[in-house]
Amino acid sequence: MAKGYQAPRGTQDILPPVSGQWHHLEDTFRQVCERYGYQEARTPVFEEAALFARGIGDATDIVSKEMYVFEDRGGRSLSLRPEGTAGIARAFVEHKLAGEKSAWKVFYLISIFRYERPQAGRYRQAHQVGVECFGAGGPDVDAEIIALNMAWYRDLGMKGHELRLNSLGCPACRPGHRQALTSALADVAEELCPTCQGRLDTNPLRVFDCKSPSCGELVANAPAPLDYLCDGCRSHFDALRVLLDGMELPYEIDPRLVRGLDYYTRTAWEVKYAELGAQDALCGGGRYDGLVEQLGGPKTPGIGFAAGIERALVALEKGGITMPETGAGGVMVIGLDEASRQRSVLLAEEIRAHGLRAETDYFERGLKAQMKQADRLGARWAVMLGEEEMASGEATVRDLMSGDQESVPLEGVAGWLGERVVTPAP
Ligand code: AMP
């Protein structure tokens, strides 16, 4: 026998009926984005590897250890995208979309690729939804985008997730914080893990990101960016909080929530779902007023977030939220002998022309087996055609939800069904 193939480590197949749950998450996200005035942007799955080194930072784990980098046949160094923001920012700069008093508001639904150690909630090909807004720097945009983020979870019926909020300051106030942090950490440098010792010189802020519990304890009382905000950053943060309070969006201030890159400015947030265990982040977002310039564009404020789809699905499942699956609803058209089977194929086509899903039996099975199939398909209606129906010219139509049955003239069945709302059988 030929060798059996398996999906690559860290990837998964999304098959029916579960793909219906994915559609539900994605459709809900599109609807929410629509309400907030965001439009879809699609950028390539791969980009020049250097874009990510520049846009994410070559000292980050993502770039230094996790990228899928390859050389194409023309000798170019490319990488599968490990996240969405860099490609969108590249497109913004390349297409010269910056303008005076104009905001560019886009959303995306993408696969991301990271060579991480696979574990629960962590894949090598993962999926994200996200939004970015370039061109507006006020706290009103921060509030709007956080509200959009939370509206998605609300519309999905998510419960028990927590919004964490922080401010990282800006190039004006960050040096003061960095100095205070560096000197505080210098006292405990030898007790920090080797990775964090390395971070002391390159990017001390990332010490807050360390997963090691001993580093966590050591930095618990270290100076946080929030205590060093300049007047501008402080009033931006205060104004954001007033707006979030006005929107009645609950959040917790987390002074240790950081983003380790210089172009991240001011607002940073995360949504956590405790029951997810080690990988408990549902989503991460922040303002990055330095990114567009970093990529060679004009000085332009920007803000965005990315949220994992896989983790959202697990969180919804843990919360007992039922989601629609592929295939529910629609009509099973049942033919019982040669003539009626032929008619059932044509009738199914008529029903589809009325916008409904219709299916027929391919295997010349009897009534019982076809009714079972209707059940498996989650059909809402069964239309039965047998010798009697063909002779009388009236189909027997059964509402599989109520069990009610009536005769409807064959010529008018498709229209009759089209006028009724077709919802899945329970
Ligand atoms: P990040 O860009 O790392 O802030 O990721 C944003 C969100 O995407 C995270 O909060 C996760 O929900 C999700 N995510 C990131 N990486 C992975 C991965 N390897 N597997 C599954 N989900 C991921």
Side-chain angles (χ1 to χ4, degrees):
M1 212 164 84
K3 173 183 184 296
Y5 294 100
Q6 288 178 341
R9 195 164 135 74
T11 69
Q12 56 173 348
D13 298 313
I14 316 298
L15 306 175
V18 173
S19 49
Q21 301 181 348
W22 283 65
H23 288 164
H24 176 60
L25 262 69
E26 292 163 356
D27 291 348
T28 308
F29 185 70
R30 285 177 200 278
Q31 286 159 15
V32 171
C33 288
E34 175 71 22
R35 292 208 297 271
Y36 285 80
Y38 285 75
Q39 291 175 314
E40 184 170 1
R42 299 189 191 196
T43 60
V45 168
F46 57 86
E47 299 268 1
E48 270 181 67
L51 168 71
F52 300 114
R54 202 99 229 276
I56 307 173
D58 28 20
T60 57
D61 285 355
I62 295 184
V63 172
S64 63
K65 299 190 209 150
E66 297 170 0
M67 289 222 298
Y68 277 88
V69 182
F70 60 98
E71 197 172 282
D72 76 1
R73 288 169 195 274
R76 300 172 192 86
S77 178
L78 301 170
S79 172
L80 296 181
R81 65 176 159 221
E83 53 94 64
T85 305
I88 301 273
R90 192 264 311 135
F92 177 80
V93 174
E94 181 176 341
H95 299 286
K96 301 190 170 48
L97 299 171
E100 192 63 19
K101 289 205 189 304
S102 82
W104 192 57
K105 297 163 62 169
V106 293
F107 72 84
Y108 57 82
L109 296 92
I110 58 170
S111 295
I112 58 160
F113 305 86
R114 295 182 190 175
Y115 192 80
E116 297 188 277
R117 194 170 57 77
Q119 62 185 88
R122 196 197 262 169
Y123 299 93
R124 288 183 173 168
Q125 177 174 359
H127 298 81
Q128 292 182 338
V129 297
V131 315
E132 318 285 357
C133 174
F134 293 101
D140 48 347
V141 186
D142 303 28
E144 179 186 280
I145 225 165
I146 293 174
L148 184 165
N149 186 181
M150 301 311 281
W152 184 49
Y153 293 129
R154 184 199 59 215
D155 286 6
L156 289 172
M158 182 96 73
K159 292 204 170 60
H161 52 297
E162 272 175 39
L163 171 61
R164 307 253 176 111
L165 188 66
N166 196 15
S167 175
L168 304 177
C170 70
C173 47
R174 201 167 289 146
H177 170 253
R178 189 177 165 133
Q179 202 170 19
L181 180 63
T182 313
S183 61
L185 290 177
D187 299 339
V188 292
E190 289 187 355
E191 296 162 68
L192 292 168
C193 74
T195 318
C196 283
Q197 287 185 13
R199 285 168 174 161
L200 285 185
D201 293 330
T202 54
N203 198 342
L205 202 59
R206 291 210 54 218
V207 172
F208 287 121
D209 253 348
C210 186
K211 296 273 182 267
S212 140
S214 58
C215 288
E217 268 175 42
L218 289 170
V219 301
N221 297 313
L226 209 49
D227 299 325
Y228 289 80
L229 297 184
C230 61
D231 289 348
C233 288
R234 170 61 57 194
S235 64
H236 184 103
F237 193 56
D238 290 345
L240 169 61
R241 294 188 57 183
V242 168
L243 289 170
L244 293 179
D245 292 341
M247 291 170 171
E248 295 181 17
L249 285 177
Y251 58 88
E252 235 180 81
I253 305 279
D254 181 351
R256 258 143 263 285
L257 194 169
V258 296
R259 292 270 182 279
L261 301 166
D262 281 348
Y263 60 75
Y264 277 106
T265 45
R266 299 189 164 170
T267 311
W269 75 96
E270 231 172 43
V271 181
K272 297 245 182 202
Y273 191 86
E275 273 187 71
L276 290 181
Q279 306 300 324
D280 63 351
L282 285 178
C283 148
R287 180 163 275 294
Y288 42 76
D289 291 348
L291 176 62
V292 171
E293 223 177 347
Q294 174 88 5
L295 296 179
K299 193 165 168 34
T300 309
I303 179 170
F305 73 82
I309 294 190
E310 288 87 350
R311 291 187 202 170
L313 276 169
V314 176
L316 289 167
E317 222 166 81
K318 283 192 187 286
I321 311 296
T322 46
M323 284 166 283
E325 296 190 329
T326 302
V331 184
M332 177 75 194
V333 190
I334 297 175
L336 296 172
D337 57 17
E338 202 180 331
S340 60
R341 261 199 303 277
Q342 199 177 30
R343 187 73 177 85
S344 74
V345 175
L346 304 181
L347 181 54
E349 193 58 14
E350 276 177 55
I351 294 171
R352 293 173 192 134
H354 280 78
L356 305 182
R357 187 168 66 85
E359 297 196 59
T360 56
D361 168 58
Y362 305 135
F363 308 106
E364 302 185 6
R365 289 179 293 196
L367 178 62
K368 211 166 140 195
Q370 292 198 49
M371 286 303 281
K372 251 196 197 156
Q373 189 188 347
D375 191 42
R376 247 196 330 271
L377 294 171
R380 170 67 205 273
W381 305 90
V383 175
M384 289 170 274
L385 303 178
E387 223 172 291
E388 217 174 277
E389 283 82 3
M390 292 300 282
S392 68
E394 292 203 324
T396 305
V397 181
R398 186 183 294 175
D399 180 338
L400 297 173
M401 204 184 253
S402 66
D404 294 345
Q405 193 162 295
E406 59 186 286
S407 295
V408 181
L410 258 175
E411 301 309 320
V413 174
W416 187 94
L417 286 165
E419 282 165 18
R420 282 158 179 78
V421 182
V422 177
T423 50

